[in-house]
Amino acid sequence: MSSTTVSTSTAASGAAERDQISRPPPRRIKGAGNGSRPWLGLLYLLPALVVYVLVVIVPAGQGVWLSFFHWDGVTRATWAGFGNYTGFFSDPTLREAVTHTLYFILFFSVLPIALGLLSAALASRKNVRGAAVYRSVIFLPQMLTPAVTAVVWKRIYAPNGPINSVLRDIGLGGLARGWLGDYTWALPALGIAGTWAAFGLCMVLCISGMQAIPTELYDAARVDGAGAIREFFTVTLPGLRGTLSVVLTLTVLGAIRVFDIVWLTTRGGPGISTITPTIVLYQRAFANPDIGAAAAIGVVLAVVSLIVTLVIVRLSDSEAR
Amino acid sequence: MISAREKVSNYVLLTLVAVCVLFPLLWIVGNALSPSVSGNLDLGHLQWSNFVTAWKQAGFSQYLKSSLIITGSVVALSTVFAIMSGFAFGVLGVWGQRLLFPVVLLGIMLPMETFIVPLYYDFQSYGITDTYQGIVLAHVGMGVSFGAFWMRTAFRAVPRSIAESAAMDGANSWTQLWRVYLPLAKPAVLTFVLLGFTWTWNDYFLALILVSDPAHQPLTLGLGAFSGRYLVQINMLSAAAVLISLPIVVLCLAFQRQFVRGILSGAVKE
């Protein structure tokens, strides 16, 4: 449940950026509540806290612990030290998966943000009629469950699907293929499906961010004779810094962990040409149990996620100064 | 003031983007209505009965029941937990919150993959894999972080003076929460419910791992099983996919305004 979370915090920091006179220090914990009834507060928190500890904190701790063992889920576990972690360098499957993550960051994060930004800029111009319709249409894929997205794109890329029909009709039948079964093309094909699914959210968040930009800034830019493009780069883009760091965090984290769409279309294949770290984790954990190795992947994903979040937040903060 | 040329190119670009987005969806809807089992479009002979046939063949009634039970319980429990923990952190203050709040927030950044494997083995030892209780518990536990964060923000935006006057009238914390804070935070609650519904309904990964018994699996897994079994019947598969998507799409379109406004108002408040 992370999508809106970050959006709130950063949009708030965006607000802080706007009144630049004094940048209030983060008052996360200190300012919370009046603190006069802390025991009562604990009582209110307790039910949620118990469930949270049971489902998240304890298993997370166990995951770290397990990652230092070799264990097949049945026989006695043996100490592995950092053996499961060195797999990231020595295991060709895992190395391949990590490489693919970079592709997924391009297709699930960079491209959707670029497209989302473009369509948000277009849809939120003044006097655009039917902007709401465009927005709903572009947001549509975001609402679909990954199981459905997978069905859709399997059809589009099928040997007798629309892409191949068009290729055959224009005399390029030689290029037609089952795109998701092709060693070279499966990965970019999946990437495009991911871009399609993700950029609606990017657009909606960008539009929200743009609505917070004071219209006087646009008027001023117009008076200065700025065209649509210069206006975008001098007013819109700087005003969106907070929003963009949110969107970037969300999508990059999504790209690092991608599972559903890949698992439901190619299962990481053909061969291992579309495998992702989470698929390796799933296979190690359940198909052919090497639970320590699976746990190690989980721990590395957590560490990378935290680092990515921190770096993006830090970057957007330092640019703001 | 936008020049006519700019305006036209604006529309052309937007329409182009929209068409690219819509095309795959329309293709599937076309397939879903087509009599051809191999996925050829035949829009001359629309076959609406595909939806009924697909529903029956895939055994969707059982999956739908599971989806409704799981999503309904998760949303109800998560919302209550979010309200109570948000009230605790945002209004009452919590003993040890300097430590507790960051620990709770950690769950927002921690990917599910980090704890899912041990969680599976824990649940196995409690005997709650393949049960509604198990998957609901997992969803609810994972929703606590965001819920506490979200409702804390909402409650902190409530003017202190209102609550103080209620307190002077002798309202205890429970009454204050339900009579004063909650009505004022309604939009935030609605957004939380919508988000929770969407995420739980659309979940695949968690159910894939925790529920292997088809009798307790949600629709998303049902569709996966269906697409494995009926690989050749493209029209049935497409019809099933359309059926699954409908509730969420309708919900999101109907509440899009609240959705975005909720996100926005949540953002402005902190």
Side-chain angles (χ1 to χ4, degrees), chain A residues 1 3-5 8 11 27-28 32-34 38 40-41 44-45 52 59 62 122 125-126 129 134 136 143-145 148 155 160 196 222 257 259 264 286 291 298 302, chain B residues 1-2 6 10-11 15 21 38 88-91 93 95 103-104 107-108 113-114 118 121-122 145-146 149 152 156 173-174 195 199 202 205 234 245 248 252 256 263 270:
Chain A
M1 287 196 156
S3 43
T4 24
T5 318
T8 32
R27 35 165 197 136
R28 282 272 124 117
N34 50 20
L40 191 62
Y44 273 84
L45 177 66
Y52 172 69
Q62 290 169 322
L122 293 174
R125 306 285 299 273
K126 260 191 246 168
R129 275 159 185 265
Y134 287 115
S136 299
M143 305 172 199
L144 302 181
T145 122
V148 171
R155 272 321 296 151
N160 67 344
W196 176 82
R222 286 275 150 167
R257 310 172 37 200
F259 177 84
L264 284 157
F286 301 107
I291 290 152
Chain B
M1 260 147 287
I2 296 174
E6 236 180 83
N10 208 352
Y11 279 117
T15 310
V21 170
S38 60
F89 278 125
V91 178
W95 182 85
V103 167
V104 169
I108 290 178
E113 290 79 4
T114 310
Y121 284 96
D122 288 350
S145 301
F146 174 66
F149 171 81
R152 169 181 171 270
R156 284 181 62 181
S173 66
W174 190 250
L195 292 173
W199 288 327
N202 286 347
F205 189 62
I234 304 294
S245 316
I248 293 287
C252 286
Q256 202 190 15
I263 294 174
E270 172 109 341

Coordinates of all heavy atoms in Angstrom, one line a residue, chain A residues 1 3-5 8 11 27-28 32-34 38 40-41 44-45 52 59 62 122 125-126 129 134 136 143-145 148 155 160 196 222 257 259 264 286 291 298 302, chain B residues 1-2 6 10-11 15 21 38 88-91 93 95 103-104 107-108 113-114 118 121-122 145-146 149 152 156 173-174 195 199 202 205 234 245 248 252 256 263 270:
Chain A
M1 N 0.8 -1.2 0.0 CA 0.0 0.0 0.0 C 0.9 1.2 0.0 O 0.8 2.0 0.9 CB -0.8 0.0 1.3 CG -1.9 -1.0 1.3 SD -3.0 -0.5 2.6 CE -4.5 -1.2 2.1
S3 N 1.4 3.5 -2.8 CA 1.4 4.5 -3.8 C 1.2 5.9 -3.4 O 1.9 6.8 -3.8 CB 0.5 4.1 -5.0 OG -0.7 3.6 -4.5
T4 N 0.1 6.1 -2.6 CA -0.1 7.5 -2.2 C 0.7 8.0 -1.1 O 0.9 9.2 -1.0 CB -1.6 7.7 -1.8 OG1 -2.0 6.4 -1.3 CG2 -2.4 8.2 -2.9
T5 N 1.2 7.1 -0.3 CA 2.0 7.5 0.8 C 3.0 8.6 0.5 O 3.0 9.6 1.0 CB 2.9 6.3 1.3 OG1 2.1 5.2 1.3 CG2 3.5 6.6 2.6
T8 N 1.9 12.0 -0.5 CA 1.6 13.0 0.5 C 2.8 13.6 1.0 O 2.9 14.8 1.0 CB 0.8 12.3 1.7 OG1 1.4 11.0 1.8 CG2 -0.6 12.3 1.4
A11 N 4.5 15.9 -1.6 CA 3.7 17.1 -2.0 C 3.8 18.1 -0.8 O 3.8 19.3 -1.0 CB 2.3 16.7 -2.2
R27 N 9.0 17.8 11.6 CA 8.5 17.6 13.0 C 7.7 16.4 13.1 O 6.7 16.3 13.7 CB 7.7 18.8 13.4 CG 6.9 19.3 12.2 CD 5.8 20.3 12.6 NE 4.9 20.3 11.5 CZ 3.6 20.3 11.6 NH1 3.0 20.2 12.7 NH2 2.9 20.3 10.5
R28 N 8.2 15.4 12.4 CA 7.6 14.1 12.3 C 7.1 13.6 13.7 O 5.9 13.4 13.9 CB 8.7 13.0 11.9 CG 8.9 13.0 10.4 CD 7.9 12.1 9.8 NE 7.1 12.8 8.8 CZ 7.2 12.5 7.5 NH1 7.9 11.6 7.1 NH2 6.4 13.2 6.7
A32 N 3.9 15.2 16.9 CA 2.8 14.3 16.9 C 1.9 14.3 18.1 O 2.4 14.0 19.2 CB 3.2 12.9 16.6
G33 N 0.7 14.7 18.0 CA -0.2 14.7 19.1 C 0.2 15.7 20.2 O 1.2 16.4 20.1
N34 N -0.6 15.8 21.3 CA -0.2 16.6 22.4 C 0.6 15.8 23.4 O 1.0 16.4 24.4 CB -1.4 17.3 23.0 CG -2.5 16.3 23.3 OD1 -2.2 15.1 23.4 ND2 -3.7 16.8 23.4
P38 N -0.3 9.4 26.4 CA 0.5 8.4 25.6 C 0.1 7.0 25.9 O 0.2 6.1 25.0 CB 1.9 8.7 26.0 CG 1.8 9.4 27.3 CD 0.5 10.1 27.3
L40 N -3.0 5.9 26.8 CA -4.2 5.7 26.1 C -3.9 5.5 24.6 O -4.5 4.6 23.9 CB -5.1 6.9 26.3 CG -6.6 6.7 25.8 CD1 -7.3 5.6 26.6 CD2 -7.3 8.1 26.0
G41 N -3.0 6.3 24.0 CA -2.7 6.2 22.6 C -2.1 4.8 22.3 O -2.5 4.2 21.3
Y44 N -4.9 2.4 21.9 CA -5.6 2.5 20.5 C -4.7 1.8 19.5 O -5.2 1.3 18.5 CB -5.8 4.0 20.2 CG -7.1 4.6 20.7 CD1 -7.1 5.0 22.0 CD2 -8.2 4.6 19.9 CE1 -8.3 5.6 22.5 CE2 -9.4 5.2 20.4 CZ -9.4 5.6 21.7 OH -10.6 6.2 22.2
L45 N -3.4 2.0 19.6 CA -2.5 1.5 18.6 C -2.4 -0.1 18.6 O -2.1 -0.7 17.6 CB -1.1 2.1 18.7 CG 0.0 1.7 17.8 CD1 -0.3 2.1 16.4 CD2 1.3 2.3 18.2
Y52 N 0.7 -6.1 12.9 CA 1.8 -5.6 12.1 C 3.1 -6.3 12.4 O 3.9 -6.8 11.6 CB 2.0 -4.1 12.3 CG 3.2 -3.5 11.7 CD1 3.4 -3.4 10.3 CD2 4.2 -2.9 12.5 CE1 4.5 -2.8 9.8 CE2 5.3 -2.4 12.0 CZ 5.5 -2.3 10.6 OH 6.6 -1.7 10.1
P59 N 8.5 -11.7 10.7 CA 9.0 -12.4 9.5 C 10.2 -11.7 8.8 O 11.1 -12.4 8.3 CB 7.8 -12.5 8.5 CG 6.6 -12.4 9.4 CD 7.1 -11.5 10.5
Q62 N 13.1 -12.8 10.7 CA 13.4 -14.2 10.4 C 14.0 -14.3 9.0 O 14.9 -15.2 8.8 CB 12.1 -15.0 10.4 CG 11.5 -15.3 11.7 CD 10.1 -15.8 11.6 OE1 9.3 -15.5 10.8 NE2 9.7 -16.7 12.6
L122 N -0.1 18.2 -21.6 CA -1.1 18.4 -22.6 C -2.5 18.5 -22.1 O -3.3 19.4 -22.4 CB -1.1 17.3 -23.7 CG 0.2 17.2 -24.5 CD1 0.2 16.0 -25.4 CD2 0.4 18.5 -25.4
R125 N -3.5 21.8 -19.9 CA -3.5 23.2 -20.5 C -4.9 23.8 -20.3 O -5.9 23.1 -20.2 CB -3.2 23.1 -22.0 CG -2.0 22.4 -22.3 CD -0.8 23.2 -22.0 NE -0.7 24.4 -22.8 CZ -0.2 24.5 -24.0 NH1 0.2 23.4 -24.6 NH2 -0.2 25.7 -24.6
K126 N -4.9 25.1 -20.3 CA -6.2 25.8 -20.2 C -6.9 25.6 -21.5 O -6.3 25.4 -22.6 CB -5.9 27.3 -20.1 CG -6.1 27.8 -18.6 CD -6.1 29.3 -18.5 CE -4.9 29.8 -17.8 NZ -4.7 31.2 -18.0
R129 N -10.7 21.0 -23.9 CA -12.0 20.4 -23.6 C -11.8 18.9 -23.5 O -11.0 18.3 -24.2 CB -13.0 20.6 -24.8 CG -13.7 21.9 -24.6 CD -14.2 22.3 -26.0 NE -14.8 23.7 -25.9 CZ -16.1 23.9 -25.8 NH1 -16.9 22.8 -25.7 NH2 -16.6 25.1 -25.7
Y134 N -9.8 12.3 -21.5 CA -8.5 11.8 -21.8 C -7.8 11.2 -20.6 O -7.2 10.2 -20.6 CB -7.6 13.0 -22.3 CG -7.9 13.4 -23.7 CD1 -8.4 14.6 -24.0 CD2 -7.7 12.5 -24.8 CE1 -8.7 15.1 -25.3 CE2 -8.0 12.9 -26.1 CZ -8.5 14.2 -26.4 OH -8.8 14.6 -27.6
S136 N -9.2 9.9 -17.9 CA -9.8 8.6 -17.5 C -9.3 7.5 -18.4 O -8.9 6.4 -18.0 CB -11.3 8.7 -17.6 OG -11.8 9.7 -16.7
M143 N -6.0 0.6 -13.6 CA -7.0 0.0 -12.8 C -7.1 -1.5 -13.0 O -7.7 -2.2 -12.2 CB -8.4 0.6 -13.2 CG -8.5 2.1 -13.1 SD -10.1 2.6 -13.8 CE -9.8 4.3 -14.2
L144 N -6.5 -2.0 -14.1 CA -6.6 -3.4 -14.4 C -5.7 -4.2 -13.4 O -4.7 -3.8 -13.1 CB -6.2 -3.7 -15.8 CG -7.0 -2.9 -16.9 CD1 -6.5 -3.3 -18.2 CD2 -8.5 -3.2 -16.8
T145 N -6.2 -5.4 -13.1 CA -5.3 -6.2 -12.3 C -4.3 -6.8 -13.2 O -4.5 -7.0 -14.4 CB -6.1 -7.4 -11.6 OG1 -5.5 -8.6 -12.0 CG2 -7.6 -7.3 -11.9
V148 N -5.1 -9.4 -15.7 CA -5.8 -9.0 -16.9 C -4.8 -8.4 -17.9 O -4.8 -8.7 -19.1 CB -7.0 -8.1 -16.6 CG1 -7.5 -7.5 -17.8 CG2 -8.0 -8.8 -15.8
R155 N -2.3 -11.5 -25.9 CA -3.0 -11.5 -27.2 C -2.4 -10.6 -28.2 O -2.2 -10.9 -29.4 CB -4.5 -10.9 -26.9 CG -5.5 -11.9 -26.5 CD -5.4 -13.2 -27.3 NE -5.6 -13.2 -28.7 CZ -5.0 -14.0 -29.6 NH1 -4.2 -15.0 -29.2 NH2 -5.2 -13.9 -30.9
N160 N -0.6 -14.8 -33.9 CA -1.7 -14.4 -34.8 C -2.4 -13.1 -34.3 O -3.5 -12.8 -34.6 CB -2.7 -15.5 -35.0 CG -3.5 -15.8 -33.7 OD1 -3.1 -15.4 -32.7 ND2 -4.7 -16.4 -33.9
W196 N 2.9 0.9 -20.7 CA 1.5 1.1 -21.0 C 0.7 1.1 -19.7 O -0.2 1.9 -19.4 CB 1.0 0.0 -21.9 CG -0.4 -0.1 -22.2 CD1 -1.1 0.7 -23.2 CD2 -1.4 -0.9 -21.6 NE1 -2.4 0.3 -23.2 CE2 -2.7 -0.6 -22.2 CE3 -1.4 -1.9 -20.6 CZ2 -3.9 -1.3 -21.9 CZ3 -2.6 -2.5 -20.2 CH2 -3.8 -2.2 -20.9
R222 N 3.9 33.8 -20.0 CA 3.2 34.2 -21.2 C 3.6 35.7 -21.6 O 3.8 36.0 -22.7 CB 1.7 34.0 -21.1 CG 1.3 32.6 -21.2 CD 1.1 32.2 -22.6 NE 1.4 30.7 -22.7 CZ 1.1 30.0 -23.7 NH1 0.5 30.5 -24.8 NH2 1.4 28.7 -23.7
R257 N 11.0 -4.7 -8.2 CA 10.3 -5.8 -7.6 C 9.4 -6.5 -8.6 O 8.6 -7.4 -8.2 CB 9.5 -5.4 -6.4 CG 10.2 -4.5 -5.4 CD 9.2 -4.0 -4.4 NE 8.2 -5.0 -4.1 CZ 7.0 -4.7 -3.6 NH1 6.7 -3.5 -3.3 NH2 6.1 -5.7 -3.4
F259 N 7.0 -8.6 -10.7 CA 6.8 -10.0 -10.7 C 5.6 -10.4 -11.5 O 5.7 -11.1 -12.5 CB 6.6 -10.5 -9.3 CG 6.3 -12.0 -9.2 CD1 7.3 -12.9 -9.2 CD2 4.9 -12.4 -9.1 CE1 7.0 -14.3 -9.1 CE2 4.6 -13.7 -9.0 CZ 5.6 -14.7 -9.0
L264 N 3.1 -14.0 -15.2 CA 1.8 -14.3 -15.9 C 2.0 -14.4 -17.4 O 1.1 -14.9 -18.0 CB 0.7 -13.3 -15.5 CG 0.2 -13.5 -14.1 CD1 -0.5 -12.3 -13.6 CD2 -0.8 -14.7 -14.1
F286 N 9.9 -21.7 -3.5 CA 8.8 -22.7 -3.5 C 8.9 -23.8 -4.6 O 8.5 -24.9 -4.3 CB 7.4 -21.9 -3.8 CG 7.2 -20.9 -2.7 CD1 7.3 -19.6 -2.9 CD2 6.8 -21.4 -1.4 CE1 7.1 -18.6 -1.9 CE2 6.6 -20.4 -0.4 CZ 6.7 -19.1 -0.7
I291 N 15.8 -22.1 0.6 CA 15.1 -20.9 1.2 C 16.0 -19.8 1.7 O 15.7 -18.7 1.6 CB 14.2 -21.5 2.4 CG1 13.1 -22.3 1.7 CG2 13.7 -20.4 3.3 CD1 12.5 -23.4 2.6
G298 N 15.4 -11.4 -0.8 CA 14.5 -10.6 -0.2 C 15.2 -9.5 0.6 O 14.8 -8.3 0.6
A302 N 15.2 -5.4 -0.1 CA 14.8 -4.4 1.0 C 15.9 -3.3 1.0 O 15.6 -2.1 1.0 CB 14.7 -5.0 2.3
Chain B
M1 N -4.5 32.1 -23.1 CA -4.6 32.3 -24.5 C -3.6 31.4 -25.3 O -2.4 31.5 -25.1 CB -4.2 33.8 -24.8 CG -5.5 34.6 -25.0 SD -5.2 36.3 -24.5 CE -5.2 36.1 -22.7
I2 N -4.2 30.5 -26.0 CA -3.4 29.5 -26.7 C -3.8 29.6 -28.2 O -4.9 29.7 -28.5 CB -3.7 28.1 -26.2 CG1 -3.3 28.0 -24.7 CG2 -3.0 27.1 -27.0 CD1 -3.7 26.7 -24.1
E6 N -1.5 25.6 -31.8 CA -1.0 25.0 -30.6 C -2.2 24.0 -30.1 O -1.9 22.9 -29.7 CB -0.8 26.0 -29.5 CG 0.6 25.9 -28.9 CD 0.8 27.0 -27.9 OE1 0.4 26.7 -26.7 OE2 1.3 28.0 -28.2
N10 N -2.1 20.1 -29.8 CA -2.4 19.5 -28.4 C -3.4 18.4 -28.5 O -3.2 17.3 -27.9 CB -3.0 20.7 -27.6 CG -2.7 20.5 -26.1 OD1 -2.2 19.5 -25.7 ND2 -3.1 21.6 -25.4
Y11 N -4.5 18.6 -29.2 CA -5.5 17.6 -29.3 C -5.0 16.3 -30.0 O -5.3 15.2 -29.7 CB -6.8 18.1 -30.0 CG -7.7 18.9 -29.1 CD1 -7.9 20.3 -29.3 CD2 -8.3 18.3 -28.0 CE1 -8.7 21.0 -28.5 CE2 -9.1 19.0 -27.2 CZ -9.3 20.4 -27.4 OH -10.1 21.1 -26.6
T15 N -4.9 12.7 -28.4 CA -5.7 11.7 -29.0 C -4.9 10.5 -29.4 O -5.2 9.3 -29.2 CB -6.5 12.2 -30.2 OG1 -7.2 13.4 -29.8 CG2 -7.5 11.2 -30.7
V21 N -3.3 3.8 -25.9 CA -3.7 3.2 -24.6 C -4.9 2.3 -24.8 O -5.0 1.2 -24.3 CB -3.9 4.3 -23.5 CG1 -4.5 3.6 -22.3 CG2 -2.6 5.0 -23.2
S38 N -10.0 -18.8 -31.8 CA -8.6 -18.6 -32.1 C -8.1 -17.1 -32.0 O -7.0 -16.8 -32.2 CB -8.2 -19.2 -33.5 OG -8.9 -18.5 -34.4
A88 N -4.2 7.5 17.4 CA -3.2 7.3 18.5 C -2.0 8.2 18.2 O -1.5 9.0 19.0 CB -2.8 5.9 18.6
F89 N -1.4 8.1 16.9 CA -0.2 8.8 16.6 C -0.5 10.3 16.4 O 0.3 11.1 16.8 CB 0.4 8.2 15.3 CG 1.3 7.0 15.6 CD1 1.0 5.8 14.9 CD2 2.3 7.0 16.5 CE1 1.8 4.7 15.1 CE2 3.1 5.9 16.7 CZ 2.8 4.7 16.0
G90 N -1.6 10.6 15.8 CA -1.9 12.0 15.4 C -2.4 12.8 16.5 O -2.2 14.1 16.5
V91 N -3.2 12.3 17.4 CA -3.9 13.1 18.4 C -3.5 12.8 19.8 O -3.1 13.7 20.6 CB -5.4 12.9 18.3 CG1 -6.2 13.7 19.3 CG2 -5.9 13.3 16.9
G93 N -1.0 10.8 20.9 CA 0.4 10.6 21.2 C 0.5 9.2 21.7 O -0.4 8.6 22.3
W95 N 3.0 6.3 23.8 CA 4.2 6.0 24.6 C 5.2 5.3 23.8 O 4.9 4.3 23.1 CB 3.8 5.1 25.8 CG 4.9 4.8 26.7 CD1 5.3 5.6 27.8 CD2 5.8 3.7 26.7 NE1 6.4 5.1 28.4 CE2 6.7 3.9 27.7 CE3 5.9 2.6 25.9 CZ2 7.7 3.0 28.0 CZ3 6.9 1.7 26.1 CH2 7.8 1.9 27.2
V103 N 9.3 2.6 13.4 CA 9.1 1.2 13.1 C 7.9 0.9 12.3 O 7.9 0.1 11.4 CB 9.1 0.4 14.5 CG1 8.6 -1.0 14.3 CG2 10.4 0.4 15.2
V104 N 6.8 1.6 12.6 CA 5.6 1.4 11.8 C 5.8 1.9 10.4 O 5.3 1.2 9.4 CB 4.4 2.1 12.5 CG1 3.2 2.2 11.6 CG2 4.0 1.4 13.8
G107 N 7.4 -0.3 7.5 CA 6.6 -1.2 6.6 C 6.2 -0.6 5.3 O 5.9 -1.4 4.4
I108 N 6.2 0.7 5.2 CA 5.9 1.3 3.9 C 7.0 1.1 2.9 O 6.7 0.8 1.7 CB 5.6 2.8 4.1 CG1 4.3 3.1 4.8 CG2 5.5 3.5 2.7 CD1 4.0 4.5 5.1
E113 N 8.6 -8.9 -0.5 CA 9.5 -10.0 -0.8 C 10.4 -10.3 0.4 O 10.9 -11.4 0.6 CB 10.3 -9.7 -2.0 CG 9.6 -9.7 -3.3 CD 8.8 -8.4 -3.6 OE1 8.9 -7.5 -2.7 OE2 8.1 -8.4 -4.5
T114 N 10.7 -9.3 1.2 CA 11.6 -9.5 2.3 C 11.1 -10.4 3.4 O 11.8 -11.2 4.0 CB 11.9 -8.1 3.0 OG1 12.3 -7.2 1.9 CG2 13.1 -8.2 3.9
P118 N 9.5 -16.2 5.0 CA 9.3 -16.6 6.4 C 7.8 -16.6 6.8 O 7.3 -17.5 7.5 CB 10.1 -15.6 7.2 CG 11.0 -15.0 6.2 CD 10.4 -15.1 4.9
Y121 N 6.1 -19.8 5.9 CA 6.4 -20.9 6.8 C 5.8 -20.7 8.2 O 5.3 -21.6 8.8 CB 7.9 -21.1 6.9 CG 8.4 -21.8 5.7 CD1 9.0 -21.1 4.6 CD2 8.3 -23.2 5.5 CE1 9.4 -21.7 3.5 CE2 8.7 -23.8 4.4 CZ 9.3 -23.1 3.4 OH 9.7 -23.7 2.2
D122 N 5.7 -19.4 8.7 CA 5.0 -19.1 9.9 C 3.6 -19.5 9.8 O 3.0 -20.2 10.7 CB 5.1 -17.6 10.2 CG 6.5 -17.2 10.7 OD1 7.3 -18.1 10.9 OD2 6.8 -16.0 10.7
S145 N 1.0 0.0 8.2 CA 1.9 1.2 8.0 C 1.3 2.3 7.3 O 1.3 3.4 7.8 CB 3.2 0.7 7.3 OG 3.8 -0.3 7.9
F146 N 0.8 2.0 6.1 CA 0.2 3.1 5.3 C -1.0 3.7 6.0 O -1.2 4.9 6.0 CB -0.1 2.6 3.9 CG -0.9 3.6 3.1 CD1 -0.2 4.7 2.7 CD2 -2.2 3.4 2.8 CE1 -0.9 5.7 1.9 CE2 -2.9 4.3 2.0 CZ -2.2 5.5 1.6
F149 N 0.0 6.0 8.9 CA 0.5 7.2 8.3 C -0.5 8.1 7.7 O -0.6 9.3 8.0 CB 1.6 6.8 7.2 CG 2.0 8.0 6.4 CD1 3.1 8.8 6.9 CD2 1.5 8.3 5.2 CE1 3.5 9.9 6.2 CE2 1.9 9.3 4.4 CZ 2.9 10.2 4.9
R152 N -3.1 9.4 10.4 CA -2.4 10.4 11.3 C -2.4 11.8 10.6 O -2.7 12.8 11.2 CB -1.0 9.9 11.6 CG -0.1 10.9 12.2 CD 1.3 10.3 12.5 NE 2.2 11.3 12.9 CZ 3.0 12.0 12.1 NH1 2.8 11.9 10.8 NH2 3.8 12.9 12.6
R156 N -4.4 15.0 12.1 CA -3.6 16.2 12.5 C -4.1 17.4 11.9 O -3.8 18.5 12.4 CB -2.1 15.9 12.3 CG -1.5 15.0 13.2 CD 0.0 14.8 13.0 NE 0.7 16.0 13.1 CZ 2.0 16.1 12.9 NH1 2.7 15.0 12.6 NH2 2.6 17.3 13.0
S173 N -12.1 10.2 24.9 CA -11.3 10.0 23.6 C -12.1 9.3 22.6 O -12.1 9.6 21.4 CB -10.0 9.4 23.9 OG -10.2 8.0 24.3
W174 N -12.9 8.2 23.0 CA -13.6 7.4 22.1 C -14.7 8.2 21.4 O -14.8 8.2 20.2 CB -14.2 6.2 22.9 CG -14.8 5.2 22.0 CD1 -16.2 4.9 21.9 CD2 -14.2 4.3 21.1 NE1 -16.3 3.9 21.0 CE2 -15.1 3.5 20.5 CE3 -12.8 4.0 20.9 CZ2 -14.8 2.4 19.6 CZ3 -12.5 3.0 20.0 CH2 -13.5 2.2 19.4
L195 N -8.5 2.9 -2.0 CA -7.1 2.3 -2.3 C -7.0 0.9 -1.8 O -6.5 0.0 -2.5 CB -6.1 3.2 -1.7 CG -5.9 4.6 -2.3 CD1 -4.9 5.4 -1.4 CD2 -5.4 4.5 -3.7
W199 N -6.2 -2.3 -4.2 CA -5.0 -3.1 -4.0 C -5.3 -4.5 -3.6 O -4.6 -5.5 -4.1 CB -4.1 -2.4 -3.0 CG -3.5 -1.2 -3.5 CD1 -3.1 -1.0 -4.8 CD2 -3.1 0.0 -2.8 NE1 -2.6 0.3 -4.9 CE2 -2.6 0.9 -3.7 CE3 -3.3 0.4 -1.4 CZ2 -2.1 2.2 -3.3 CZ3 -2.8 1.6 -1.1 CH2 -2.3 2.5 -2.0
N202 N -6.9 -6.5 -6.6 CA -5.9 -6.7 -7.7 C -4.8 -7.6 -7.3 O -3.9 -8.0 -8.1 CB -5.4 -5.4 -8.2 CG -6.4 -4.7 -9.1 OD1 -7.5 -5.3 -9.4 ND2 -6.2 -3.4 -9.4
F205 N 0.3 -11.7 -6.1 CA 1.5 -12.3 -5.5 C 1.2 -13.0 -4.2 O 1.5 -14.1 -3.9 CB 2.6 -11.2 -5.4 CG 3.9 -11.8 -5.0 CD1 4.6 -12.6 -5.8 CD2 4.5 -11.3 -3.8 CE1 5.9 -13.1 -5.5 CE2 5.8 -11.8 -3.5 CZ 6.4 -12.7 -4.3
I234 N -9.5 -18.4 -27.0 CA -9.2 -17.0 -26.7 C -10.4 -16.1 -26.4 O -10.3 -15.3 -25.5 CB -8.5 -16.4 -28.0 CG1 -7.3 -17.2 -28.4 CG2 -8.1 -14.9 -27.8 CD1 -6.2 -17.2 -27.5
S245 N -12.2 -7.2 -14.7 CA -11.8 -5.8 -14.6 C -13.0 -4.9 -14.3 O -12.7 -3.8 -13.8 CB -11.2 -5.4 -16.0 OG -10.3 -6.4 -16.4
I248 N -13.6 -3.0 -10.7 CA -12.6 -1.9 -10.3 C -12.7 -0.7 -11.3 O -12.7 0.4 -10.9 CB -11.2 -2.5 -10.4 CG1 -11.1 -3.6 -9.3 CG2 -10.2 -1.4 -10.2 CD1 -11.0 -3.0 -7.9
C252 N -13.4 2.9 -10.0 CA -12.4 4.0 -10.2 C -13.0 5.1 -11.0 O -12.7 6.3 -10.7 CB -11.2 3.5 -10.8 SG -10.2 2.5 -9.8
Q256 N -13.3 8.7 -9.3 CA -12.0 9.2 -9.7 C -11.8 10.6 -9.0 O -10.7 10.9 -8.5 CB -12.0 9.4 -11.2 CG -10.5 9.4 -11.7 CD -10.5 9.8 -13.2 OE1 -11.5 10.3 -13.7 NE2 -9.4 9.6 -13.8
I263 N -6.2 12.2 -2.5 CA -4.8 12.2 -2.5 C -4.3 13.7 -2.4 O -3.3 14.0 -1.6 CB -4.2 11.7 -3.9 CG1 -4.6 10.2 -4.0 CG2 -2.8 11.9 -4.0 CD1 -4.3 9.6 -5.3
E270 N -0.6 17.9 5.6 CA 0.6 17.7 6.5 C 1.3 19.0 6.9 O 1.7 19.7 6.0 CB 1.5 16.7 5.9 CG 2.8 16.6 6.8 CD 2.9 15.2 7.5 OE1 1.8 14.6 7.7 OE2 4.0 14.9 7.9

